[in-house]
Amino acid sequence: MMNARTALTLVLAAGEGTRMRSRQPKVLHAIGGRPLIGHVLAAAGRLGGHTAVVIGPDHADVAAEVKRMTPDAEVFVQAERRGTAHAVLAARPAIARGADDILVVFGDTPLITPATLERLRGALGQAAVAVLGFRPADPTGYGRLVVEDGQLIAIREDKDASAAERALTLCNAGAMALDGRHALALLDRIDDRNAKREFYLTDVVALARAQKFSVVAIETEEDEVRGINTRVQLAEAEAVLQRRLRQQWLEAGVTMVAPETVFLSADTKLAPDVVIEPHVVFGAGVVVEEGAVIRAFSHLEGAHVGKGARVGPFARLRPGAELGADVHIGNFVEVKAAVVEAGAKANHLAYIGDARVGAGANVGAGTIVCNYDGVTKHHTDIGKGAFIGSNSALVAPVSIGDGAYVATGSVITENVPADALAIARGRQVVKENGASRLRQSRATGKKQDAKAAEKI
Ligand code: UD1
Ligand code: CA
């Protein structure tokens, strides 16, 4: 059901992420083949409403990723990193424009779900501020939620907390919802009188209470609010996401023989009755249609697999691989930027790149499409029902007509008309007793015998 209230979601992403030890801004590190900030933007996008992102200076690449994911998102730069409330206020023009509900989320907390954001937002019915809380296995470093009689009265940052407050187990996950009518006035009251000399967004809680507004905490699971500061946490979040994606596709009617060995991307699309054998990796941009079977140890990326197709074991589909219905791509076959039409087969050891393979064509073992001349890539066209004999090289640009037949071991450099038979290889020479003569010459090392052997 669509919420009639308007929403503004602020994504804070100006942090430096020094603990990642990376040249790349933290929020551009990926899980499930998608940058961290992309996951947050996807969740925010599901709420409807407007999105604004706060980034650090020199983060043009973050701005570009934001625009790619959410073209109508507004991007603000926080010139100096002076705390979470300071970051929120970097988006002052968006807040001042007004929205019924204002949500603040962190760009480095990618596992948050739209359902939880919706729950947080829903609490604004009764409260001016709602804070997402969780009970981490180790609360060190998190702000503690101080709750009294069902009201959240304060958030105490770890560095500022008393021993008694540190013993509290309910912690601040970082996501917050604010009533748009009061947000700006409350935010403007926050100061930097604390251990870190930062403007803490968390201070909004005590300020709202001081004005007798209701403030509540909404609880969620730790797995949903894992913040990422290090590569270890990045790997842990990846594991959580993979479990979630596998579960989602199993429930949607996909068979995975050993789901824990299958790696999915956030944008992977699998139809019902797809079967995935163990140890398959889905890079970004893969769609698999109904009933297709992806056999063990295959790697797919930017590929479309048609209904009932069979891929692998040990197949590699690279970006632009478009397999029609019932196509068979077998072991050690690589397909890149190629349309393989319905029912075509390449069952063993082949490279098909920058090509079209017509319906029902058969590409024999060891066939190589030589698409690259060292400078440019060229196109190869294989007609419908054509037969390419094993160990052939098709030197692009070249086209093989419908129903044509290329003899085994051919090196095809010129077009083959429809229904033609092309034989492009050296003739076979047979010398009677040649084998024993050859062996003799090797054994004696005599000059005349060596000469005789040369003739063989
Ligand atoms: C923050 C919370 C803490 C909570 C924890 C959850 C505050 C004061 N503290 O602490 O209560 O338990 O998150 O993970 O809010 N950012 C900016 N500009 C800044 C500072 C931060 O954009 O000047 C962004 C960061 O990129 C990050 C987020 O805000 O996405 C959180 O900042 P961080 O410094 O990691 O806050 P914590 O100390 O972890
Ligand atoms: Ca943090």
Side-chain angles (χ1 to χ4, degrees):
M1 205 180 72
M2 204 60 195
N3 198 323
R5 294 167 63 87
T6 58
L8 166 67
T9 306
L10 300 172
V11 182
L12 305 191
E16 286 167 14
T18 39
R19 281 178 286 167
M20 294 297 280
R21 301 185 190 285
S22 173
R23 285 182 196 287
Q24 187 171 236
K26 177 165 75 177
V27 293
L28 292 185
H29 285 266
I31 58 170
R34 177 183 281 172
L36 300 180
I37 192 156
H39 290 274
V40 178
L41 289 168
R46 296 275 291 280
L47 295 178
H50 191 59
T51 303
V53 183
V54 179
I55 64 169
D58 313 318
H59 279 178
D61 38 0
V62 178
E65 177 58 25
V66 169
K67 287 288 170 195
R68 203 182 63 79
M69 273 293 292
T70 312
D72 60 356
E74 255 178 301
V75 176
F76 296 94
V77 175
Q78 184 194 19
E80 250 187 302
R81 203 176 178 284
R82 300 190 57 199
T84 43
H86 186 261
V88 166
L89 286 169
R92 180 187 291 276
I95 304 168
R97 223 179 289 134
D100 295 327
D101 304 332
I102 294 177
L103 284 112
V104 181
V105 293
F106 293 169
D108 65 356
T109 308
L111 298 166
I112 196 147
T113 62
T116 294
L117 290 178
E118 211 46 91
R119 201 150 59 86
L120 192 62
R121 191 182 169 189
L124 291 181
Q126 305 83 45
V129 179
V131 172
L132 191 61
F134 72 122
R135 296 182 193 274
D138 175 12
T140 313
Y142 290 110
R144 308 298 204 283
L145 302 190
V146 186
V147 180
E148 273 176 21
D149 304 327
Q151 282 287 311
L152 180 59
I153 59 164
I155 305 179
R156 197 74 68 223
E157 287 307 295
D158 195 52
K159 280 209 169 110
D160 303 288
S162 65
E165 285 165 342
R166 277 210 182 105
L168 296 170
T169 56
L170 187 60
C171 291
N172 176 22
M176 190 182 280
L178 302 154
D179 184 326
R181 287 171 299 177
H182 313 301
L184 205 51
L186 290 170
L187 290 165
D188 273 331
R189 283 216 182 88
I190 296 174
D191 61 36
D192 64 352
R193 276 175 290 172
N194 53 56
K196 283 168 87 180
R197 308 291 313 166
E198 284 188 357
F199 294 86
Y200 289 165
L201 175 62
T202 44
D203 283 354
V204 85
V205 170
L207 289 167
R209 289 301 297 154
Q211 301 213 17
K212 308 270 187 292
F213 289 134
S214 168
V215 181
V216 297
I218 300 287
E219 225 179 298
T220 192
E221 296 294 311
E222 179 171 18
D223 273 351
E224 210 188 320
V225 289
R226 286 172 185 273
I228 291 164
N229 301 310
T230 65
R231 307 257 186 177
V232 171
Q233 291 167 336
L234 184 72
E236 285 165 356
E238 178 79 64
V240 173
L241 178 65
Q242 290 299 333
R243 279 200 295 277
R244 210 190 258 180
L245 292 169
R246 290 168 192 142
Q247 182 81 21
Q248 174 198 324
W249 290 117
L250 289 167
E251 283 167 7
V254 171
T255 293
M256 292 185 215
V257 179
E260 67 284 3
T261 68
V262 173
F263 288 83
L264 298 150
S265 276
D267 67 356
T268 304
K269 288 195 177 60
L270 307 172
D273 287 327
V274 163
V275 175
I276 300 167
E277 290 187 356
H279 299 286
V280 172
V281 176
F282 291 89
V286 177
V287 177
V288 183
E289 290 190 43
E290 210 172 291
V293 179
I294 313 297
R295 303 202 57 199
F297 298 101
S298 294
H299 190 285
L300 297 79
E301 190 177 6
H304 187 122
V305 177
K307 269 191 186 170
R310 296 177 158 263
V311 173
F314 299 98
R316 178 155 187 221
L317 301 185
R318 291 174 52 206
E322 295 276 338
L323 313 187
D326 303 316
V327 160
H328 290 189
I329 296 297
N331 42 273
F332 307 107
V333 174
E334 175 177 342
V335 181
K336 183 218 76 167
V339 176
V340 183
E341 293 175 358
K345 295 190 171 91
N347 275 327
H348 338 263
L349 303 150
Y351 174 67
I352 302 169
D354 300 294
R356 176 190 76 109
V357 179
N362 193 315
V363 175
T367 296
I368 303 294
V369 169
C370 312
N371 59 328
Y372 186 50
D373 59 13
V375 183
T376 0
K377 304 264 167 74
H378 300 282
H379 192 260
T380 295
D381 194 78
I382 299 172
K384 90 175 172 244
F387 180 93
I388 312 297
S390 297
N391 201 35
S392 292
L394 308 179
V395 183
V398 74
S399 92
I400 314 292
D402 290 353
Y405 191 108
V406 170
T408 293
S410 291
V411 177
I412 300 293
T413 54
E414 281 161 50
N415 292 348
V416 177
D419 201 38
L421 165 64
I423 308 168
R425 63 180 180 221
R427 281 202 156 270
Q428 179 167 320
V429 176
V430 175
K431 306 221 169 183
E432 297 291 336
N433 307 121
S436 47
R437 270 157 54 208
L438 178 67
R439 280 190 285 269
Q440 202 181 350
S441 76
R442 296 224 166 115
T444 61
K446 277 188 191 156
K447 261 198 174 159
Q448 69 266 38
D449 287 341
K451 268 213 168 136
E454 238 170 55
K455 289 189 186 140
I456 290 168

